[in-house]
Amino acid sequence: MNIKEFKARFIDLKNKGYVESLRRGPTGIGKTLESYLGIIENNLDLPDLDNVELKAHRDNSTNMITLFTFNRGAWILNPLEAVKKYGTKDKNGRLGLYFTMSFQANSAGLFLYCDNETVSIRHIDGTIIVRWKFLDLEEQFDRKIPALILVKAKVEYRNNKEWFYFYSAELLKGTTSSIIAEQIKNGTLLIDLRLHDKGTMARNHGTGFRTYEKYLPNFFKTKEVIV
């Protein structure tokens, strides 16, 4: 399906008004949209349409999305050493670094720091834990989401079931290192450390770069209203 075909199918769907969700729960909106557009559902990390990802968003939703994960070449301090030195215990007594970072030092003394070219996680003792170049983050974002069709839907509840009115679709393309930097600095791109002590090594689930769905348009340099 190309963008022209998508537009025609989406207009048909929009003209239907509210349609009943085809699945209960958070994934119902995506399942319903894909079914009406004739897109075969898949759980693979592959583009849905002509190298364009498809994302459905409920109006007023506070859901978050992981844009990408990134660790390659970023760690300045050995991850296991970082966990042992700055980690906190979970309910099972296991040391870990599971934090959503901010520019204010957290309970472990860790905080975000930005300069013109990088963002890093540091400790108040002066240690740099991990550091990313904005250019590398731009490259990772473009690799993960080169373009996105963001579909917005109004929601009604009828007899405890969701009904969706898919009313707009916007094509978003490309990002820049300056956009990435801006979103980190203004707090709309969140950085999550996700690793723990596994004895002889740190088990790293991948540092997550996340945002709220409503902020997705802020990450792209080109925006085009399809419908």
Side-chain angles (χ1 to χ4, degrees), residues 47 51-53 67-68 70 134-148 172-177 179-180 219-222:
N51 297 317
V52 179
E53 291 289 332
L67 298 172
F68 57 90
F70 193 81
F134 294 129
L135 285 172
D136 290 339
L137 297 179
E138 173 193 344
E139 180 181 335
Q140 186 72 359
F141 184 98
D142 279 334
R143 182 182 298 114
K144 177 71 175 180
I145 315 176
L148 173 74
L172 310 170
K173 291 183 179 180
T175 193
T176 65
S177 59
I179 289 175
I180 295 293
F219 288 85
F220 295 86
K221 60 184 178 182
T222 302

Side-chain angles (χ1 to χ4, degrees), residues 90-155:
D90 62 17
K91 62 182 180 181
N92 298 316
R94 184 180 64 183
L95 279 177
L97 291 173
Y98 285 89
F99 298 119
T100 297
M101 300 305 306
S102 76
F103 290 95
Q104 299 295 320
N106 63 16
S107 59
L110 302 177
F111 63 95
L112 287 178
Y113 176 85
C114 284
D115 57 29
N116 291 334
E117 297 182 353
T118 68
V119 57
S120 57
I121 295 175
R122 303 184 176 201
H123 191 267
I124 54 176
D125 65 11
T127 303
I128 300 175
I129 314 300
V130 55
R131 181 170 56 208
W132 298 269
K133 294 179 180 178
F134 294 129
L135 285 172
D136 290 339
L137 297 179
E138 173 193 344
E139 180 181 335
Q140 186 72 359
F141 184 98
D142 279 334
R143 182 182 298 114
K144 177 71 175 180
I145 315 176
L148 173 74
I149 292 178
L150 181 62
V151 172
K152 295 181 180 179
K154 298 182 185 298
V155 181

